[in-house]
Amino acid sequence: MINYDAIVIGSGPAGNSAAYGLKAQGKKVAVIESDLWGGTCPNRGCDPKKLLMSGVEAQKRIETLVGKGFEKTPKIIWEDLMAFKRNYTDFVPQKTKAGLDGAEIDRYQGQASFIDAHQIIVDDQILTAEQFLIATGQRPAVLQIDGQDLLQSSTDFLALEHLPKKITFIGAGYIAFELAVIANAAGSEVHIIHHNDRPLKEFDQGLVEALVQHLEESGIQFHFNIETKGIELMHPEYRIIGKDFELVTDLVIGATGRVPNVEGLNLEKAGVAYDKRGIQVNERLQTTQSNIFACGDVIAKSQPKLTPVASFEADYVVQAMQTPGEEIIYPLIPTIVFGDQRLARIGLSERAIANQAEKYHSKTLDLSGWYTYRRINDQGAKIKFVYDEEERIVAITCLSQIAEEVINYLLLILTKKMSHEEVEKYIFAYPSPASDLSYFV
């Protein structure tokens, strides 16, 4: 039996960051990982996805300028793009382990399972600690249909050695959209099947419809209001079956959400409550067992389950585990659907706006004629502002090739509550997204 001051379960961005923070406090720390060291984001999540997306961005930027200095759209060579991705992801586990070893943080590989609130077992080794932090993240959900074992996941897509001629995604959240954009740009025939007619429900419907139209014009085929009933193997193809619907495809990717990684932890033995949304925590990220904390995507929360949010929570929980203080306060959190046209938003949720629609009004600007967007031929650029009864901006949604840059600038302005006069006092590089800010506020 080995004793620790703190044990972190999960080596993703949240767990890894917290382990270093706890070690810096002089504590004896251990990290337990049941899968790949480094967690989902750098191994099989946002980082490799963005590496593949970089090829799409380069291709599409030239495509918008064909006839304006370029003759044709370049072809993406999937195998070379995947090699570029692996040059990053293949080294994540060893770099993560080397970092922990260099910081003298003990590592254990295997499934952690609580014996009680102070003891845990991993690979037949019993460890004890005064405090625990659970940061085990999420994994892709599996759609409960006939033939569900034939479904592949986002993890499988990001490891494809060769790209199939025809790929179908079931689900229409941001993961499906982003992977569909990548596959389409690389030359696959791409289909997206969704059970209703409201994809990306966390975003403004009008700009979502504009994005869907853009993707349809790019060749992606959407099938809305289709309830998928099952999948059949046709050797080597697959048949997707729904009510009055049938589609034959080379690969089926399930993108119907994610579920928290709580199985195997034996949380009941530790007195930690959880449900299908994740582990229950209070405003100090404590679970129902006061010496056990949780953060990141594994917890049940209303905030977006994103890597920067998990890292923010990790920084907070390191201090909370040492000295309980103020409740965690989340800042404005941007959410983005990446692609050649990005969709980004900050502010009050779409649900909250819809629930009290009489309190809000909006304004949508067509940015395609603004010089910042004309110089890159961004013909679909738009931005929507939602205001409350006192004319304060409560939500912003932007659709453009540079939406993530715009939304980050506006996030700072809203957070600092800067007025138009204050923004005008700054001289920004021109032309750039920042040089347009005074026209927005």
Side-chain angles (χ1 to χ4, degrees):
M1 183 180 296
I2 304 177
N3 302 316
Y4 291 94
D5 296 314
I7 292 176
V8 178
I9 307 173
S11 70
N16 209 38
S17 175
Y20 282 105
L22 293 166
K23 182 67 178 181
Q25 293 174 348
K27 294 179 179 178
K28 184 179 180 182
V29 182
V31 178
I32 302 171
E33 176 56 61
S34 64
D35 195 6
L36 290 175
W37 288 90
T40 296
C41 180
N43 281 294
R44 52 170 76 106
C46 38
D47 286 358
K49 183 172 59 179
K50 299 302 188 300
L51 285 166
L52 297 182
M53 190 67 77
S54 67
V56 178
E57 293 164 353
Q59 180 200 59
K60 295 296 185 179
R61 182 59 62 88
I62 292 178
E63 183 177 87
T64 61
L65 296 174
V66 169
K68 300 171 180 64
F70 292 89
E71 291 185 355
K72 61 181 180 179
T73 302
K75 178 183 178 182
I76 290 175
I77 302 171
W78 182 258
E79 290 74 15
D80 292 349
L81 186 59
M82 286 296 291
F84 174 59
K85 183 219 73 164
R86 288 195 301 272
N87 190 49
Y88 174 84
T89 57
D90 285 357
F91 299 98
V92 169
Q94 69 184 59
K95 286 183 177 180
T96 302
K97 290 187 286 185
L100 293 170
D101 293 344
E104 298 183 342
I105 297 171
D106 290 351
R107 295 186 289 106
Y108 295 88
Q109 181 80 50
Q111 175 61 54
S113 180
F114 281 98
I115 298 172
D116 56 38
H118 288 280
Q119 296 185 89
I120 204 164
I121 185 169
V122 54
D123 195 23
D124 297 326
Q125 178 80 56
I126 295 177
L127 311 175
T128 69
E130 292 297 316
Q131 295 177 313
F132 291 87
L133 172 61
I134 303 171
T136 49
Q138 292 181 307
R139 66 183 186 280
V142 178
L143 186 63
Q144 301 300 301
I145 56 174
D146 293 338
Q148 64 188 51
D149 57 311
L150 301 175
L151 282 168
Q152 300 291 296
S153 69
S154 58
T155 299
D156 300 306
F157 177 90
L158 294 171
L160 286 173
E161 292 295 330
H162 305 286
L163 196 65
K165 291 182 179 179
K166 188 174 181 178
I167 299 180
T168 301
F169 296 88
I170 300 178
Y174 74 93
I175 293 176
F177 269 65
E178 291 177 347
L179 298 186
V181 166
I182 294 170
N184 178 64
S188 285
E189 177 184 326
V190 177
H191 296 256
I192 293 179
I193 299 172
H194 194 47
H195 67 278
N196 60 34
D197 59 358
R198 182 67 173 93
L200 298 174
K201 61 183 179 181
E202 297 87 0
F203 291 81
D204 174 76
Q205 185 171 358
L207 293 191
V208 169
E209 290 173 355
L211 177 59
V212 168
Q213 181 179 347
H214 167 75
L215 296 181
E216 287 178 331
E217 292 170 354
S218 298
I220 295 175
Q221 300 178 52
F222 289 86
H223 308 275
F224 293 127
N225 295 310
I226 300 295
E227 195 71 41
T228 303
K229 300 295 184 183
I231 304 171
E232 295 178 354
L233 178 60
M234 297 175 61
H235 299 290
E237 299 171 313
Y238 302 89
R239 178 189 288 118
I240 302 171
I241 302 168
K243 184 179 179 181
D244 301 322
F245 178 84
E246 187 174 296
L247 180 66
V248 176
T249 186
D250 296 317
L251 184 68
V252 188
I253 303 292
T256 51
R258 300 176 69 81
V259 293
N261 290 319
V262 295
E263 292 80 7
L265 290 174
N266 278 328
L267 296 175
E268 295 85 356
K269 291 186 177 181
V272 173
Y274 66 96
D275 57 27
K276 65 180 181 180
R277 299 182 305 117
I279 294 174
Q280 297 176 19
V281 294
N282 62 16
E283 294 80 2
R284 292 178 174 81
L285 300 185
Q286 287 174 297
T287 69
T288 47
Q289 186 64 254
S290 62
N291 71 304
I292 300 176
F293 294 73
C295 70
D297 291 358
V298 75
I299 65 175
K301 59 183 176 182
S302 58
Q303 290 76 22
K305 295 192 174 186
L306 303 169
T307 297
V309 180
S311 298
F312 178 86
E313 292 167 348
D315 291 341
Y316 168 85
V317 82
V318 165
Q319 300 304 317
M321 290 175 73
Q322 182 177 41
T323 306
E326 296 181 354
E327 299 175 354
I328 187 169
I329 299 175
Y330 291 91
L332 283 172
I333 301 171
T335 52
I336 304 170
V337 180
F338 283 90
D340 60 302
Q341 284 287 98
R342 285 95 141 143
L343 185 64
R345 85 176 307 279
I346 52 172
L348 198 62
S349 71
E350 293 298 318
R351 176 178 296 181
I353 293 170
N355 287 343
Q356 293 185 302
E358 70 281 358
K359 291 186 176 182
Y360 306 105
H361 61 282
S362 64
K363 176 178 67 176
T364 300
L365 300 177
D366 183 345
L367 303 177
S368 59
W370 293 30
Y371 181 71
T372 299
Y373 302 88
R374 285 196 66 180
R375 70 184 180 87
I376 56 175
N377 200 29
D378 190 352
Q379 297 179 357
K382 296 179 176 64
I383 192 166
K384 180 175 181 177
F385 294 88
V386 179
Y387 304 87
D388 64 13
E389 295 170 312
E390 297 180 12
E391 296 301 319
R392 294 174 300 196
I393 299 172
V394 296
I396 305 171
T397 305
C398 182
L399 176 66
S400 82
Q401 294 177 20
I402 52 176
E404 80 279 24
E405 297 180 48
V406 174
I407 215 72
N408 280 334
Y409 287 128
L410 290 170
L411 181 148
L412 290 174
I413 289 174
L414 292 191
T415 300
K416 297 295 184 181
K417 298 181 180 179
M418 296 172 67
S419 66
H420 173 78
E421 289 73 22
E422 288 174 307
V423 174
E424 278 200 319
K425 291 179 181 178
Y426 291 90
I427 298 176
F428 296 102
Y430 174 86
S432 69
S435 63
D436 294 330
L437 291 176
S438 62
Y439 300 104
F440 289 147
V441 296

